[in-house]
Amino acid sequence: MQGITRHILDIIVISRHCTENYGPIPAMTSDMRTEYMRTTGNRTPLQEMSETIALIGPSDSVQVMLEAATRFFPDLNFRSYIREHIEDTYEVLEQSQRECDGLLFSGIGVQEAAKARGVVTKPYAQIERGAYSLLRVFSEIQRSGIPFERISIDVVTNAILREVIREYGISFHKVHSMPFAVQHREEAYLQRHRELLESGQADLAISGFGSVYSELSALGLPAFRMLPSALQVRETMERLLADIAARDLRSAGIAIQIVSLHRSDEQNKNEYEYMRDEGRIFPELLNYVRAVQGSLFNVGKGEFAIFSTRGVMESPVHLDMFSHLMSWGRDNGIVLSSGIGIGSTAFEAEKSARQALGRGRRLPQGGFFLVHGDFIRGPLAEEDELRYRTRVEDPAQLRIAEEIGISPSHVDRIRAVMDKTGKSVFDSTDLAACLGISERSARRILKRFLDSGYASLAGKETAHQVGRPKMLIKIEI
């Protein structure tokens, strides 16, 4: 195996700044480890650090969250990222995720607005406006003495609203409810409240949006703010911390991704065209590497290695991001194949990445696979993605493979397709696509299934072109 691992370690010794995106490794000196901890703030078993949580939302909500969170979780660190309008919360995503271990959004509107225009890669949670918030605001309204037979309320679901009204024993003459919907902007809620209040259809408005409440109050209209309660902050924080702990456990391990320019017409490409393709794909790769918080190395002609951690690289967001990068390449005449390897050591991760890359290179349009231990997934982020074993140890499958006369991994992969799709009838084209082999090899395998009694002839496909119709084989394993 070509020594990507050794190449990387040599670079680490020569250039200390390359360690910014790695956890400490045994070869690092104490000075290097100290510098790493200073620059990244990442935790390691050698130096425990308490989690830092980002509190994101309008100022009044963040103040309630901060007071409750510091009271219930005194050992944690909290940072506030304030945006009064939910449409602006995406602006703090990059900074908050760089500085914190998890994100706590003040409500679903803040969370969904951030996700709509940004990428959330860290564990996150939002404080639901539920029973606690409603009871709190109803108590405030009663103390105010303002009539509230007709109310206009947003954000909370109708189910929660009905349950709280029933439990609280309030009899409203009319409730104008506007539950949260992703497609509605804050302005829509503001206009609806204002219309109901100014027309006399509602006595007061209750809003979970800080900006809506502020603007209604500025207009002199009776409005009440529905804030998160301390108990809701505590419960949501406990869930978020559990998610962070689970992510930390899952993230343990080194991830290496190898990206290769994949061309079936390589002999028709001259050196200039080859260099041009590399130059065009490199800036796009840099954007991806930045997102996975990794380090990028050119390890050969048309081949790059990316070092990161398992949790980041395995996240659905980043898998989907690289799938879009591959599509961009195809649209621009550049076909990529890629493999991700997960391991407890760099050597193990590289070996798995090479194995995954080999699977991808078998596909004419390039493929994207992941290998971890004895399991392989792929093509990643595609509708036909499968998970199956690279090494089969199940005695029953080994016996079936031996009796048919094919590889045990082929048996496992065919079974994975059958389990996922419910399909048991294949022709040679289907099986070739399933196993990443030629149609001629697929016909040979189907014949072995028939000859061994593990399949039966289900029929023949009606021929729409010149030639013999294809046999439809029902596989019985």
Side-chain angles (χ1 to χ4, degrees):
M1 182 183 301
Q2 199 163 5
I4 291 178
T5 305
R6 182 176 178 181
H7 174 68
I8 300 304
L9 293 179
D10 287 342
I11 293 175
I12 290 175
V13 172
I14 295 170
S15 177
R16 286 173 52 181
H17 74 270
C18 288
T19 63
E20 290 180 1
N21 294 307
Y22 294 92
I25 59 175
M28 294 174 72
T29 66
S30 59
D31 289 342
M32 291 172 69
R33 186 174 292 111
T34 300
E35 176 67 10
Y36 164 80
M37 298 303 299
R38 184 187 69 79
T39 55
T40 67
N42 289 340
R43 289 172 291 119
T44 75
L46 298 176
Q47 183 173 350
E48 291 295 327
M49 299 180 68
S50 61
E51 281 85 357
T52 298
I53 305 299
L55 307 178
I56 304 175
S59 55
D60 56 355
S61 290
V62 169
Q63 182 179 352
V64 172
M65 293 159 62
L66 183 60
E67 290 174 356
T70 53
R71 177 155 53 93
F72 290 120
F73 305 94
D75 296 330
L76 300 184
N77 302 310
F78 299 93
R79 293 191 179 188
S80 300
Y81 301 87
I82 294 173
R83 288 294 185 273
E84 300 299 345
H85 292 274
I86 66 171
E87 285 87 356
D88 299 331
T89 51
Y90 77 96
E91 297 172 351
V92 303
L93 272 184
E94 184 175 346
Q95 181 184 357
S96 62
Q97 293 185 102
R98 186 172 62 247
E99 297 174 346
C100 303
D101 301 290
L103 312 181
L104 184 61
F105 294 100
S106 64
I108 189 169
V110 176
Q111 172 186 286
E112 294 306 310
K115 290 169 60 180
R117 299 185 64 181
V119 177
V120 181
T121 59
K122 293 290 182 73
Y124 64 93
Q126 58 92 8
I127 302 175
E128 182 182 11
R129 294 300 184 272
Y132 292 136
S133 294
L134 279 175
L135 290 174
R136 178 175 174 172
V137 77
F138 285 162
S139 295
E140 184 182 350
I141 292 170
Q142 279 191 325
R143 291 194 302 269
S144 73
I146 299 176
F148 58 99
E149 291 185 350
R150 300 168 301 173
I151 65 171
S152 174
I153 185 169
D154 59 33
V155 175
V156 295
T157 66
N158 289 327
I160 291 176
L161 181 59
R162 285 194 298 267
E163 184 65 20
V164 171
I165 289 174
R166 185 182 66 82
E167 289 291 329
Y168 202 59
I170 300 177
S171 178
F172 291 106
H173 177 69
K174 181 65 177 178
V175 176
H176 301 276
S177 175
M178 296 176 283
F180 174 78
V182 176
Q183 67 268 25
H184 294 156
R185 296 171 62 88
E186 282 174 298
E187 184 65 25
Y189 293 99
L190 172 63
Q191 293 303 323
R192 179 59 174 159
H193 282 305
R194 185 174 177 180
E195 175 186 323
L196 291 169
L197 291 170
E198 292 180 341
S199 65
Q201 298 178 65
D203 299 317
L204 57 86
I206 302 172
S207 182
F209 299 105
S211 64
V212 172
Y213 164 74
S214 297
E215 294 192 43
L216 290 173
S217 298
L219 292 169
L221 297 171
F224 289 82
R225 178 77 160 102
M226 187 162 41
L227 291 164
S229 72
L231 289 176
Q232 286 173 305
V233 173
R234 184 179 69 179
E235 291 177 358
T236 309
M237 270 295 303
E238 287 171 348
R239 293 197 303 270
L240 177 58
L241 292 173
D243 288 345
I244 293 172
R247 175 76 67 92
D248 286 345
L249 288 173
R250 185 172 173 270
S251 296
I254 297 170
I256 295 179
Q257 180 176 359
I258 301 175
V259 182
S260 175
L261 271 68
H262 174 74
R263 294 194 302 260
S264 58
D265 60 342
E266 196 164 1
Q267 68 276 11
N268 297 324
K269 293 270 187 175
N270 59 41
E271 191 66 22
Y272 170 77
E273 291 173 322
Y274 195 93
M275 293 171 63
R276 183 194 62 187
D277 286 353
E278 279 191 323
R280 292 168 67 199
I281 201 65
F282 191 76
E284 305 301 324
L285 269 179
L286 282 178
N287 290 333
Y288 169 73
V289 170
R290 182 186 181 195
V292 299
Q293 304 166 42
S295 293
L296 177 66
F297 300 91
N298 189 324
V299 293
K301 186 178 179 181
E303 192 167 276
F304 303 89
I306 302 167
F307 276 56
S308 187
T309 59
R310 175 189 176 187
V312 174
M313 201 169 278
E314 263 192 322
S315 72
V317 169
H318 293 128
L319 294 180
D320 188 61
M321 185 180 296
F322 191 81
S323 178
H324 284 298
L325 174 57
M326 293 181 67
S327 297
W328 175 90
R330 294 188 191 108
D331 292 342
N332 287 272
I334 305 171
V335 179
L336 300 174
S337 291
S338 184
I340 295 176
I342 309 295
S344 56
T345 66
F347 178 81
E348 181 183 339
E350 180 193 343
K351 181 179 178 182
S352 296
R354 287 287 177 194
Q355 186 177 5
L357 177 65
R359 294 279 183 172
R361 290 182 67 88
R362 294 179 188 177
L363 302 181
Q365 292 301 310
F368 184 25
F369 288 80
L370 182 149
V371 171
H372 181 205
D374 293 337
F375 286 92
I376 185 167
R377 284 174 55 197
L380 296 170
E382 301 287 346
E383 289 185 3
D384 56 347
E385 178 182 323
L386 296 173
R387 182 177 183 269
Y388 50 95
R389 290 183 177 274
T390 58
R391 183 176 60 191
V392 178
E393 297 179 349
D394 178 49
Q397 286 200 41
L398 291 173
R399 176 180 54 80
I400 291 172
E402 184 178 1
E403 291 177 0
I404 297 173
I406 64 174
S407 163
S409 64
H410 282 349
V411 174
D412 191 61
R413 190 167 182 179
I414 292 169
R415 177 167 283 175
V417 172
M418 294 170 67
D419 290 342
K420 180 177 179 179
T421 65
K423 176 179 180 177
S424 61
V425 177
F426 297 82
D427 63 21
S428 56
T429 302
D430 294 334
L431 194 65
C434 164
L435 300 179
I437 58 178
S438 69
E439 194 165 343
R440 181 178 180 182
S441 298
R443 284 196 296 270
R444 188 161 53 246
I445 288 176
L446 286 174
K447 185 176 185 304
R448 290 180 179 178
F449 267 95
L450 284 169
D451 293 345
S452 61
Y454 283 101
S456 59
L457 183 61
K460 293 186 177 182
E461 187 179 49
T462 303
H464 296 289
Q465 299 177 354
V466 177
R468 292 180 299 174
K470 292 181 179 179
M471 291 192 299
L472 300 176
I473 307 298
K474 183 176 182 181
I475 294 178
E476 301 163 348
I477 56 174

